[in-house]
Amino acid sequence: MTLRTETTTSPTTPAALAVSPTSPASVTESASARGGVSYSGLLERVRYEGAYPTRERAEESVRSVLAALGRQLVGDERVDLAARLPVEAALVFTAQVPATAPLTGWEFVKDLARRTGGSPATTRWDVGAVLAPVARLAGPELVDRVIGQLPSGYALLFGRAELAPRRRAARPANPIADRGAA
């Protein structure tokens, strides 16, 4: 990747170097400016939570779990969660088109295991290793909203107890499906 530079001149200042908005330096600065953790910091947290031997293994889990979660969330919760993630993680999360029918927590794990070729047990481990740090980034109020939008079984995946069956809030209408009906 090349860094695009622009020079500007001013009578009182020397030429300045500007960083392209798509450069790695800009992405890192964006995560810091948003008050959140950097992508590198997220990977280290996931590596610790999952006891992964390498950073690359942690990154595989982050990418697969966030992509899968991106297929489940819609509306304000999706937007708010993306805003609290490091830029690189938010891009993986938001690149997914939400499913028309959300999966329960167990179906989510089984679907992810099928997509990644892992066992349900190791996939459940990966999901917990990723969603625990994501929950800390999101904060308790947003995690409550996310869990409230999804079917049963997600509280445990986010490291919380789900003590009683609950009614799930109605899912917002799918604007993509609505356009096809018109």
Side-chain angles (χ1 to χ4, degrees):
M1 177 186 290
T2 60
L3 202 77
R4 189 186 82 202
T5 60
E6 299 172 3
T7 53
T8 57
T9 58
S10 163
T12 59
T13 61
L17 179 66
V19 178
S20 164
T22 58
S23 73
S26 171
V27 169
T28 303
E29 290 165 3
S30 297
S32 301
R34 290 172 13 176
V37 69
S38 68
Y39 186 63
S40 178
L42 175 62
L43 293 180
E44 286 306 314
R45 288 181 183 183
V46 170
R47 183 175 178 194
Y48 176 80
E49 289 282 336
Y52 297 123
T54 65
R55 184 180 164 128
E56 290 74 23
R57 177 62 183 92
E59 185 168 22
E60 285 175 30
S61 293
V62 166
R63 290 184 170 279
S64 63
V65 171
L66 288 179
L69 187 61
R71 289 188 290 275
Q72 301 303 308
L73 279 179
V74 297
D76 290 341
E77 289 76 14
R78 179 183 175 94
V79 172
D80 293 346
L81 182 56
R84 296 193 188 170
L85 293 172
V87 173
E88 299 91 331
L91 291 173
V92 171
F93 174 69
T94 58
Q96 305 304 309
V97 175
T100 55
L103 302 172
T104 66
W106 177 235
E107 291 168 338
F108 175 83
V109 170
K110 290 191 307 186
D111 180 64
L112 185 55
R114 183 184 52 77
R115 290 173 186 267
T116 61
S119 72
T122 57
T123 302
R124 170 59 185 91
W125 179 271
D126 293 342
V127 169
V130 173
L131 293 185
V134 166
R136 285 192 294 276
L137 284 174
E141 188 265 349
L142 179 54
V143 172
D144 286 345
R145 290 176 30 217
V146 167
I147 291 170
Q149 182 190 117
L150 296 168
S152 67
Y154 282 88
L156 190 58
L157 298 178
F158 277 95
R160 295 184 169 192
E162 190 169 326
L163 301 176
R166 59 181 167 73
R167 282 189 179 179
R168 160 172 96 77
R171 187 174 184 142
N174 184 344
I176 296 171
D178 291 345
R179 277 189 255 151

